[in-house]
Coordinates of all heavy atoms in Angstrom, one line a residue:
M756 N -22.4 55.0 -43.8 CA -22.6 53.5 -44.1 C -22.9 52.8 -42.8 O -22.1 53.0 -41.9 CB -21.4 53.0 -44.9 CG -21.3 53.2 -46.3 SD -22.6 52.2 -47.1 CE -22.8 53.0 -48.7
A757 N -23.7 51.9 -42.8 CA -23.9 51.1 -41.7 C -22.8 50.0 -41.6 O -22.4 49.4 -42.6 CB -25.3 50.4 -41.8
K758 N -22.5 49.8 -40.3 CA -21.5 48.8 -40.1 C -22.1 47.7 -39.4 O -22.7 47.9 -38.3 CB -20.3 49.4 -39.4 CG -19.0 48.6 -39.3 CD -18.0 49.5 -38.6 CE -16.8 48.7 -38.3 NZ -15.8 49.4 -37.4
V759 N -21.9 46.5 -39.9 CA -22.6 45.3 -39.2 C -21.5 44.6 -38.5 O -20.4 44.3 -38.9 CB -23.2 44.3 -40.2 CG1 -23.7 43.1 -39.6 CG2 -24.3 45.1 -41.0
K760 N -21.9 44.4 -37.2 CA -20.9 43.8 -36.4 C -21.7 42.7 -35.6 O -22.9 42.8 -35.2 CB -20.6 44.8 -35.3 CG -19.3 44.4 -34.5 CD -19.1 45.6 -33.4 CE -18.1 45.2 -32.4 NZ -18.0 46.1 -31.3
S761 N -21.1 41.6 -35.6 CA -21.7 40.5 -34.9 C -21.1 40.0 -33.6 O -19.9 40.1 -33.5 CB -21.9 39.2 -35.8 OG -20.8 38.6 -36.0
K762 N -21.9 39.5 -32.7 CA -21.3 39.0 -31.4 C -22.1 37.8 -31.1 O -23.1 37.5 -31.6 CB -21.3 40.1 -30.3 CG -22.9 40.5 -30.0 CD -22.8 41.4 -28.9 CE -24.4 41.6 -28.4 NZ -24.4 42.6 -27.3
F763 N -21.5 37.1 -30.2 CA -22.1 35.9 -29.7 C -22.5 36.0 -28.2 O -21.7 36.4 -27.5 CB -21.2 34.7 -29.9 CG -20.9 34.4 -31.4 CD1 -19.9 35.2 -31.9 CD2 -21.7 33.7 -32.2 CE1 -19.6 35.0 -33.4 CE2 -21.5 33.5 -33.6 CZ -20.5 34.2 -34.2
V764 N -23.7 35.7 -28.0 CA -24.2 35.8 -26.6 C -24.5 34.5 -26.1 O -25.3 33.6 -26.7 CB -25.3 36.7 -26.5 CG1 -25.8 36.9 -25.0 CG2 -24.9 38.1 -27.1
C765 N -24.1 34.1 -24.8 CA -24.6 32.8 -24.3 C -26.0 32.9 -23.9 O -26.4 33.8 -23.1 CB -23.6 32.5 -23.1 SG -24.2 31.1 -22.2
S766 N -26.8 31.9 -24.4 CA -28.2 32.0 -24.0 C -28.5 31.5 -22.6 O -29.5 31.6 -22.0 CB -29.0 31.1 -25.0 OG -28.5 29.8 -25.0
S767 N -27.4 31.0 -22.0 CA -27.6 30.5 -20.7 C -27.2 31.5 -19.6 O -28.0 31.7 -18.6 CB -26.7 29.2 -20.5 OG -26.8 28.7 -19.2
C768 N -26.1 32.2 -19.7 CA -25.7 33.2 -18.7 C -25.6 34.6 -19.4 O -25.3 35.5 -18.4 CB -24.3 32.7 -18.2 SG -23.0 32.8 -19.2
G769 N -25.6 34.7 -20.6 CA -25.6 36.1 -21.2 C -24.1 36.6 -21.4 O -23.8 37.6 -21.7
Y770 N -23.1 35.7 -21.3 CA -21.7 36.0 -21.6 C -21.6 36.4 -23.1 O -22.1 35.8 -24.0 CB -20.9 34.8 -21.3 CG -19.4 34.9 -21.6 CD1 -18.6 35.7 -20.6 CD2 -18.9 34.6 -22.8 CE1 -17.3 35.8 -20.9 CE2 -17.5 34.8 -23.0 CZ -16.7 35.3 -22.1 OH -15.5 35.6 -22.4
E771 N -20.9 37.5 -23.3 CA -20.6 38.0 -24.7 C -19.3 37.7 -25.1 O -18.4 38.0 -24.4 CB -21.0 39.4 -24.7 CG -22.5 39.7 -24.6 CD -22.8 41.2 -24.7 OE1 -22.0 42.0 -25.2 OE2 -23.9 41.6 -24.3
T772 N -19.1 37.4 -26.5 CA -17.8 37.2 -27.0 C -17.9 37.6 -28.5 O -19.0 37.6 -29.1 CB -17.3 35.8 -26.8 OG1 -16.0 35.7 -27.5 CG2 -18.2 34.8 -27.4
A773 N -16.7 38.0 -28.9 CA -16.6 38.4 -30.4 C -16.6 37.2 -31.4 O -17.1 37.4 -32.5 CB -15.5 39.2 -30.6
K774 N -16.1 36.1 -30.9 CA -16.1 35.0 -31.8 C -16.8 33.7 -31.2 O -16.9 33.7 -30.1 CB -14.6 34.6 -32.2 CG -13.9 34.3 -31.1 CD -12.3 34.0 -31.5 CE -11.5 33.7 -30.3 NZ -10.2 33.5 -30.8
W775 N -17.3 32.9 -32.1 CA -18.0 31.8 -31.7 C -17.3 30.8 -31.0 O -16.2 30.5 -31.2 CB -18.8 31.2 -32.9 CG -19.8 30.1 -32.6 CD1 -21.1 30.4 -32.2 CD2 -19.5 28.8 -32.4 NE1 -21.6 29.2 -31.9 CE2 -20.7 28.2 -32.0 CE3 -18.4 28.0 -32.6 CZ2 -21.0 26.8 -31.8 CZ3 -18.6 26.6 -32.3 CH2 -19.9 26.0 -32.0
M776 N -17.9 30.2 -30.0 CA -17.3 29.3 -29.2 C -18.2 28.0 -29.1 O -19.4 28.3 -28.8 CB -16.8 29.7 -27.8 CG -15.6 30.6 -27.9 SD -15.2 31.2 -26.3 CE -14.7 32.9 -26.6
G777 N -17.8 26.8 -29.1 CA -18.7 25.7 -28.9 C -19.2 25.6 -27.5 O -20.2 25.2 -27.2
R778 N -18.3 26.1 -26.6 CA -18.7 26.1 -25.2 C -18.5 27.4 -24.6 O -17.5 28.1 -24.8 CB -17.9 25.0 -24.4 CG -18.3 24.8 -23.0 CD -17.4 23.9 -22.3 NE -16.0 24.3 -22.1 CZ -15.1 23.8 -21.3 NH1 -15.4 22.7 -20.7 NH2 -14.0 24.3 -21.2
C779 N -19.4 27.8 -23.7 CA -19.3 29.1 -23.0 C -18.2 29.0 -22.0 O -18.3 28.1 -21.1 CB -20.6 29.4 -22.4 SG -20.5 30.9 -21.3
P780 N -17.3 29.9 -22.0 CA -16.2 29.9 -21.0 C -16.7 30.3 -19.7 O -15.9 30.2 -18.8 CB -15.3 30.8 -21.7 CG -16.0 31.8 -22.5 CD -17.1 31.0 -23.1
N781 N -17.8 31.0 -19.7 CA -18.3 31.5 -18.3 C -19.0 30.4 -17.5 O -18.8 30.1 -16.4 CB -19.1 32.7 -18.6 CG -19.5 33.4 -17.3 OD1 -18.6 33.7 -16.6 ND2 -20.7 33.7 -17.1
C782 N -20.1 29.8 -18.2 CA -20.8 28.8 -17.6 C -20.6 27.4 -17.8 O -21.2 26.4 -17.4 CB -22.4 29.2 -17.7 SG -23.0 29.0 -19.4
N783 N -19.6 27.2 -18.9 CA -19.3 25.9 -19.3 C -20.4 25.0 -20.0 O -20.2 23.8 -19.9 CB -18.6 25.1 -18.3 CG -17.3 25.8 -17.8 OD1 -16.6 26.4 -18.6 ND2 -17.0 25.8 -16.6
Q784 N -21.3 25.7 -20.5 CA -22.4 25.0 -21.2 C -22.1 24.9 -22.6 O -21.5 25.9 -23.3 CB -23.8 25.8 -21.1 CG -24.1 26.0 -19.7 CD -25.1 24.9 -19.3 OE1 -25.5 23.9 -20.1 NE2 -25.7 25.1 -18.1
W785 N -22.4 23.8 -23.3 CA -22.1 23.6 -24.7 C -23.2 24.1 -25.5 O -24.4 23.9 -25.2 CB -21.9 22.0 -25.0 CG -20.5 21.6 -24.5 CD1 -20.4 21.0 -23.2 CD2 -19.4 21.6 -25.1 NE1 -19.0 20.7 -23.2 CE2 -18.3 21.1 -24.2 CE3 -18.9 22.2 -26.4 CZ2 -17.0 21.0 -24.7 CZ3 -17.6 22.1 -26.8 CH2 -16.6 21.5 -25.9
N786 N -22.8 24.7 -26.8 CA -23.7 25.1 -27.7 C -24.8 26.1 -27.3 O -26.0 26.1 -27.6 CB -24.5 23.9 -28.4 CG -23.5 23.0 -29.1 OD1 -22.5 23.5 -29.6 ND2 -23.7 21.7 -28.9
T787 N -24.4 27.0 -26.3 CA -25.3 28.0 -25.9 C -25.0 29.4 -26.5 O -25.7 30.3 -26.4 CB -25.2 28.2 -24.3 OG1 -23.9 28.4 -24.1 CG2 -25.8 27.0 -23.6
M788 N -24.0 29.5 -27.3 CA -23.6 30.7 -27.9 C -24.5 31.0 -29.1 O -24.4 30.2 -30.1 CB -22.1 30.6 -28.3 CG -21.1 30.4 -27.1 SD -21.3 31.3 -25.7 CE -20.7 33.0 -26.3
V789 N -25.1 32.1 -29.0 CA -26.1 32.5 -30.2 C -25.6 33.7 -30.7 O -25.2 34.7 -30.1 CB -27.5 32.7 -29.6 CG1 -28.5 33.0 -30.7 CG2 -27.9 31.5 -28.8
E790 N -25.5 33.8 -32.1 CA -25.0 35.0 -32.8 C -26.0 36.1 -32.8 O -27.2 35.8 -32.9 CB -24.7 34.5 -34.2 CG -24.0 35.9 -34.9 CD -23.5 35.5 -36.4 OE1 -24.0 34.4 -36.8 OE2 -22.7 36.2 -36.8
E791 N -25.5 37.3 -32.4 CA -26.4 38.5 -32.6 C -25.6 39.4 -33.5 O -24.6 39.8 -33.4 CB -26.5 39.1 -31.2 CG -27.8 38.7 -30.4 CD -27.9 39.4 -29.0 OE1 -27.4 40.5 -29.0 OE2 -28.3 38.7 -28.2
I792 N -26.5 39.9 -34.4 CA -26.0 40.9 -35.4 C -26.3 42.3 -34.8 O -27.5 42.6 -34.5 CB -26.6 40.7 -36.7 CG1 -26.4 39.3 -37.2 CG2 -26.0 41.8 -37.7 CD1 -25.1 39.0 -37.6
Q793 N -25.3 43.1 -34.8 CA -25.5 44.5 -34.4 C -25.2 45.4 -35.6 O -24.2 45.3 -36.1 CB -24.6 44.9 -33.2 CG -24.8 44.1 -32.0 CD -23.9 44.7 -31.0 OE1 -22.6 44.7 -31.2 NE2 -24.3 45.2 -29.8
E794 N -26.2 46.2 -35.9 CA -25.9 47.3 -36.9 C -25.4 48.5 -36.3 O -26.2 49.2 -35.6 CB -27.1 47.3 -37.8 CG -26.8 48.0 -39.1 CD -28.0 48.1 -40.1 OE1 -28.3 47.1 -40.4 OE2 -28.4 49.2 -40.3
V795 N -24.2 48.9 -36.5 CA -23.7 50.2 -35.8 C -23.9 51.3 -37.0 O -23.1 51.3 -37.9 CB -22.2 49.9 -35.4 CG1 -21.7 51.2 -34.8 CG2 -22.1 48.8 -34.5
K796 N -24.7 52.1 -36.7 CA -24.9 53.2 -37.7 C -24.1 54.4 -37.3 O -23.7 54.5 -36.2 CB -26.4 53.5 -37.7 CG -27.2 52.5 -38.5 CD -28.6 52.9 -38.7 CE -29.5 51.8 -39.5 NZ -30.8 52.0 -39.4
G797 N -24.0 55.3 -38.1 CA -23.2 56.5 -38.0 C -23.8 57.3 -36.8 O -24.7 58.0 -37.0
N798 N -23.3 56.9 -35.7 CA -23.7 57.5 -34.5 C -23.4 59.0 -34.4 O -22.2 59.3 -34.7 CB -23.0 56.7 -33.5 CG -23.4 57.0 -32.0 OD1 -23.7 58.2 -31.7 ND2 -23.5 56.1 -31.1
R799 N -24.3 59.9 -34.1 CA -24.0 61.3 -34.1 C -22.9 61.6 -33.2 O -22.0 62.4 -33.4 CB -25.3 62.1 -33.6 CG -26.4 62.0 -34.5 CD -26.1 63.1 -35.7 NE -27.3 63.0 -36.6 CZ -27.2 62.2 -37.6 NH1 -26.3 61.3 -37.8 NH2 -28.3 62.2 -38.5
R800 N -22.9 61.0 -32.0 CA -21.8 61.3 -31.1 C -20.5 60.9 -31.5 O -19.4 61.7 -31.4 CB -22.2 60.5 -29.8 CG -21.4 61.0 -28.6 CD -21.7 60.0 -27.4 NE -21.0 58.7 -27.6 CZ -21.4 57.6 -27.2 NH1 -22.6 57.4 -26.6 NH2 -20.7 56.4 -27.6
V801 N -20.3 59.8 -32.2 CA -19.1 59.4 -32.8 C -18.7 60.2 -33.9 O -17.4 60.6 -34.1 CB -19.3 57.9 -33.3 CG1 -17.9 57.4 -34.1 CG2 -19.5 56.9 -32.1
A802 N -19.6 60.7 -34.7 CA -19.3 61.4 -35.9 C -18.4 62.8 -35.6 O -17.8 63.4 -36.3 CB -20.6 61.9 -36.5
F803 N -18.7 63.3 -34.3 CA -18.0 64.6 -34.0 C -16.4 64.3 -33.7 O -15.6 65.1 -33.8 CB -18.5 65.2 -32.8 CG -19.8 65.9 -33.1 CD1 -21.1 65.5 -32.7 CD2 -19.8 67.0 -33.8 CE1 -22.2 66.2 -32.9 CE2 -20.9 67.7 -34.1 CZ -22.2 67.3 -33.6
S804 N -16.1 63.1 -33.4 CA -14.7 62.7 -33.1 C -14.0 62.2 -34.3 O -14.4 61.4 -35.1 CB -14.7 61.6 -32.1 OG -13.4 61.1 -32.0
H805 N -12.9 62.9 -34.6 CA -12.1 62.4 -35.9 C -11.5 61.1 -35.7 O -11.5 60.3 -36.7 CB -11.0 63.5 -36.0 CG -11.4 64.8 -36.7 ND1 -11.9 64.8 -38.0 CD2 -11.7 66.0 -36.2 CE1 -12.2 66.0 -38.4 NE2 -12.1 66.7 -37.2
S806 N -11.0 60.8 -34.5 CA -10.3 59.5 -34.4 C -11.1 58.3 -34.5 O -10.7 57.3 -35.0 CB -9.6 59.5 -33.0 OG -10.5 59.7 -32.1
T807 N -12.4 58.4 -34.3 CA -13.3 57.3 -34.4 C -14.2 57.4 -35.6 O -15.2 56.6 -35.8 CB -14.3 57.3 -33.2 OG1 -14.8 58.4 -32.8 CG2 -13.4 56.8 -31.9
K808 N -14.0 58.4 -36.4 CA -14.9 58.5 -37.6 C -14.4 57.6 -38.7 O -13.4 57.8 -39.4 CB -14.8 60.1 -38.0 CG -15.8 60.3 -39.0 CD -15.9 61.8 -39.4 CE -17.1 62.1 -40.2 NZ -17.1 63.5 -40.6
V809 N -15.0 56.5 -38.8 CA -14.6 55.4 -39.8 C -15.8 55.3 -40.7 O -16.0 54.1 -41.3 CB -14.2 54.2 -39.2 CG1 -12.8 54.4 -38.5 CG2 -15.2 53.7 -38.1
T810 N -16.4 56.2 -41.2 CA -17.5 56.1 -42.0 C -17.1 55.7 -43.5 O -17.7 54.9 -44.2 CB -18.5 57.4 -42.1 OG1 -17.5 58.4 -42.3 CG2 -19.2 57.6 -40.9
G811 N -15.9 56.2 -43.9 CA -15.4 55.9 -45.2 C -14.6 54.7 -45.0 O -15.1 53.6 -45.3
S812 N -13.4 54.7 -44.6 CA -12.6 53.6 -44.4 C -11.6 53.9 -43.3 O -11.2 55.0 -43.0 CB -11.9 53.3 -45.7 OG -10.9 54.3 -46.0
D813 N -11.0 52.8 -42.8 CA -10.1 52.9 -41.7 C -8.8 53.6 -42.2 O -8.1 54.4 -41.6 CB -9.7 51.5 -41.2 CG -10.9 51.0 -40.3 OD1 -11.7 51.8 -40.0 OD2 -10.9 49.8 -40.1
I814 N -8.5 53.2 -43.6 CA -7.3 53.8 -44.1 C -7.4 55.4 -44.2 O -6.4 56.0 -43.8 CB -7.1 53.3 -45.6 CG1 -6.9 51.8 -45.5 CG2 -6.0 54.0 -46.3 CD1 -7.3 51.1 -46.8
K815 N -8.5 55.9 -44.4 CA -8.6 57.3 -44.5 C -8.3 57.9 -43.1 O -7.7 58.9 -43.0 CB -10.1 57.6 -44.9 CG -10.3 59.1 -45.1 CD -11.8 59.3 -45.6 CE -12.2 60.6 -45.2 NZ -13.7 60.7 -45.4
A816 N -8.9 57.3 -42.1 CA -8.8 57.8 -40.7 C -7.4 57.8 -40.3 O -6.7 58.6 -39.8 CB -9.5 56.9 -39.7
V817 N -6.5 56.7 -40.7 CA -5.2 56.7 -40.5 C -4.3 57.7 -41.1 O -3.6 58.5 -40.5 CB -4.5 55.3 -40.9 CG1 -2.9 55.4 -40.8 CG2 -5.1 54.3 -40.1
S818 N -4.6 58.1 -42.5 CA -3.9 59.1 -43.2 C -4.2 60.5 -42.5 O -3.3 61.3 -42.5 CB -4.3 59.0 -44.6 OG -5.6 59.5 -44.8
I819 N -5.4 60.7 -42.1 CA -5.7 62.0 -41.4 C -4.8 62.2 -40.3 O -4.3 63.2 -40.0 CB -7.1 62.0 -41.1 CG1 -8.0 62.2 -42.5 CG2 -7.5 63.2 -40.2 CD1 -9.5 62.0 -42.3
T820 N -4.7 61.1 -39.6 CA -3.9 61.2 -38.3 C -2.4 61.6 -38.7 O -1.8 62.3 -38.0 CB -4.0 60.0 -37.5 OG1 -5.2 59.4 -37.4 CG2 -3.3 60.0 -36.2
N821 N -1.9 61.0 -39.7 CA -0.5 61.3 -40.2 C -0.4 62.7 -40.6 O 0.6 63.2 -40.0 CB -0.1 60.4 -41.3 CG 0.0 58.8 -40.8 OD1 0.2 58.7 -39.6 ND2 -0.1 57.9 -41.7
V822 N -1.2 63.2 -41.3 CA -1.2 64.5 -41.8 C -1.3 65.5 -40.6 O -0.4 66.4 -40.5 CB -2.4 64.9 -42.8 CG1 -2.5 66.3 -43.1 CG2 -2.2 64.1 -44.0
K823 N -2.1 65.2 -39.8 CA -2.3 66.0 -38.6 C -1.0 66.2 -37.7 O -0.6 67.3 -37.4 CB -3.4 65.4 -37.7 CG -4.0 66.5 -36.8 CD -5.0 65.8 -35.8 CE -6.3 65.3 -36.3 NZ -7.0 64.6 -35.3
S824 N -0.2 65.1 -37.6 CA 1.0 65.3 -36.8 C 2.1 65.8 -37.6 O 2.9 66.6 -37.0 CB 1.4 63.9 -36.2 OG 1.5 62.9 -37.3
E825 N 2.2 65.5 -38.8 CA 3.3 66.1 -39.6 C 3.1 67.6 -40.0 O 4.0 68.3 -39.9 CB 3.4 65.2 -40.9 CG 4.2 64.0 -40.6 CD 4.1 63.0 -41.9 OE1 3.8 63.5 -43.0 OE2 4.1 61.8 -41.8
E826 N 2.0 67.7 -40.6 CA 1.7 69.0 -41.1 C 1.1 70.0 -40.1 O 1.3 69.9 -38.9 CB 0.9 69.1 -42.3 CG 1.7 68.7 -43.6 CD 0.9 68.4 -44.8 OE1 0.0 69.3 -45.0 OE2 1.1 67.5 -45.4
T827 N 0.2 70.6 -40.5 CA -0.5 71.7 -39.7 C -1.8 71.4 -39.0 O -2.1 70.4 -38.7 CB -0.6 73.0 -40.5 OG1 -0.7 72.4 -41.9 CG2 0.5 73.8 -40.4
P828 N -2.4 72.5 -39.1 CA -3.6 72.7 -38.4 C -4.6 71.7 -38.6 O -4.9 71.2 -39.5 CB -4.0 74.1 -38.8 CG -2.9 74.7 -39.6 CD -2.0 73.6 -39.8
R829 N -5.1 71.5 -37.4 CA -6.3 70.7 -37.3 C -7.4 71.3 -38.2 O -8.2 70.5 -38.7 CB -6.8 70.7 -35.8 CG -7.3 69.5 -35.4 CD -7.5 69.6 -33.9 NE -8.2 68.4 -33.4 CZ -8.5 68.3 -32.1 NH1 -8.0 69.2 -31.2 NH2 -9.1 67.3 -31.7
I830 N -7.6 72.4 -38.2 CA -8.7 73.2 -39.0 C -8.5 72.8 -40.4 O -9.4 72.5 -41.1 CB -8.7 74.7 -38.7 CG1 -8.8 75.0 -37.3 CG2 -9.7 75.3 -39.7 CD1 -8.1 76.1 -36.8
E831 N -7.3 72.8 -40.9 CA -7.0 72.6 -42.3 C -7.5 71.1 -42.6 O -8.2 70.8 -43.6 CB -5.5 72.5 -42.6 CG -5.0 72.0 -43.9 CD -4.6 73.0 -44.8 OE1 -4.6 74.2 -44.4 OE2 -4.3 72.7 -46.1
T832 N -7.1 70.1 -41.8 CA -7.4 68.8 -42.0 C -9.0 68.6 -42.0 O -9.5 67.8 -42.8 CB -6.8 67.8 -40.8 OG1 -5.5 68.2 -40.7 CG2 -7.1 66.4 -41.1
R833 N -9.6 69.3 -41.1 CA -10.9 69.2 -40.9 C -11.7 69.7 -42.2 O -12.7 69.0 -42.6 CB -11.3 70.0 -39.7 CG -12.7 69.8 -39.3 CD -12.9 70.4 -37.9 NE -14.2 70.4 -37.4 CZ -14.5 70.8 -36.2 NH1 -13.6 71.3 -35.5 NH2 -15.8 70.8 -35.9
S834 N -11.4 70.8 -42.7 CA -12.1 71.3 -43.9 C -11.8 70.4 -45.1 O -12.8 70.2 -45.9 CB -11.5 72.8 -44.2 OG -10.2 72.7 -44.5
K835 N -10.6 69.8 -45.1 CA -10.4 68.9 -46.2 C -11.4 67.6 -46.1 O -11.8 67.2 -47.1 CB -8.9 68.5 -46.0 CG -8.1 68.3 -47.3 CD -6.7 67.8 -47.2 CE -5.7 68.8 -46.8 NZ -4.4 68.3 -46.4
E836 N -11.6 67.2 -45.0 CA -12.3 66.1 -44.7 C -13.7 66.4 -45.1 O -14.5 65.6 -45.7 CB -12.3 65.6 -43.2 CG -12.9 64.3 -43.0 CD -12.8 64.1 -41.6 OE1 -12.4 64.7 -40.7 OE2 -13.3 62.9 -41.2
E837 N -14.2 67.6 -44.8 CA -15.5 68.0 -45.1 C -15.7 68.0 -46.6 O -16.8 67.6 -47.1 CB -15.8 69.3 -44.5 CG -16.3 69.1 -43.1 CD -16.2 70.5 -42.3 OE1 -16.3 71.4 -42.9 OE2 -16.3 70.4 -41.0
I838 N -14.7 68.5 -47.3 CA -14.8 68.6 -48.8 C -15.0 67.2 -49.4 O -15.7 66.9 -50.2 CB -13.6 69.4 -49.3 CG1 -13.8 70.8 -49.0 CG2 -13.6 69.2 -50.9 CD1 -12.5 71.5 -49.2
L839 N -14.1 66.2 -48.9 CA -14.1 64.9 -49.4 C -15.5 64.2 -49.2 O -15.9 63.4 -50.0 CB -13.1 64.1 -48.6 CG -11.7 64.3 -49.1 CD1 -10.7 63.6 -48.1 CD2 -11.5 63.7 -50.4
E840 N -16.2 64.6 -48.2 CA -17.5 63.9 -47.9 C -18.6 64.7 -48.6 O -19.7 64.5 -48.6 CB -17.7 63.8 -46.5 CG -16.9 62.7 -45.9 CD -17.0 62.8 -44.4 OE1 -17.7 63.7 -43.8 OE2 -16.2 62.0 -43.7
Ligands
ZN1018 ZN1 -22.8 30.9 -20.6

């Protein structure tokens, strides 16, 4: 699933922030923050890492982590995950 993330970039100095601001904190210009939408797709590199694999939901990622520390093998968790998908 594609994850859409937006950020705000100052059109004057290029300062980036996660939330909109009326005034750029970097160059102090008003109304220069422009929203930019970034679509973060299932990045191959990210997909190999369990901790950052949030294609399903964040909740799922958390539960996997718990299982991993309480129970056993990483391999077990991994195969379970593959079946789920
Ligand atoms: Zn600026």
Side-chain angles (χ1 to χ4, degrees):
M756 276 291 165
K758 195 176 168 187
V759 177
K760 197 181 166 188
S761 70
K762 64 175 181 178
F763 297 88
V764 180
C765 175
S766 59
S767 178
C768 71
Y770 179 86
E771 291 181 14
T772 179
K774 59 182 178 181
W775 188 86
M776 291 183 212
R778 188 180 68 168
C779 174
N781 190 48
C782 65
N783 296 322
Q784 298 269 0
W785 285 94
N786 301 317
T787 53
M788 305 307 290
V789 180
E790 185 173 19
E791 262 184 34
I792 306 291
Q793 290 183 304
E794 196 175 294
V795 183
K796 286 187 179 164
N798 188 321
R799 292 278 179 274
R800 197 187 69 215
V801 171
F803 283 111
S804 166
H805 283 286
S806 56
T807 52
K808 192 171 186 180
V809 287
T810 47
S812 67
D813 291 341
I814 294 157
K815 184 178 153 195
V817 170
S818 68
I819 286 167
T820 309
N821 288 341
V822 169
K823 204 189 283 177
S824 56
E825 282 169 22
E826 279 174 49
T827 31
R829 212 170 171 178
I830 298 146
E831 167 111 2
T832 308
R833 193 167 172 175
S834 60
K835 224 183 273 174
E836 190 180 7
E837 277 164 13
I838 290 160
L839 282 169
E840 285 170 2

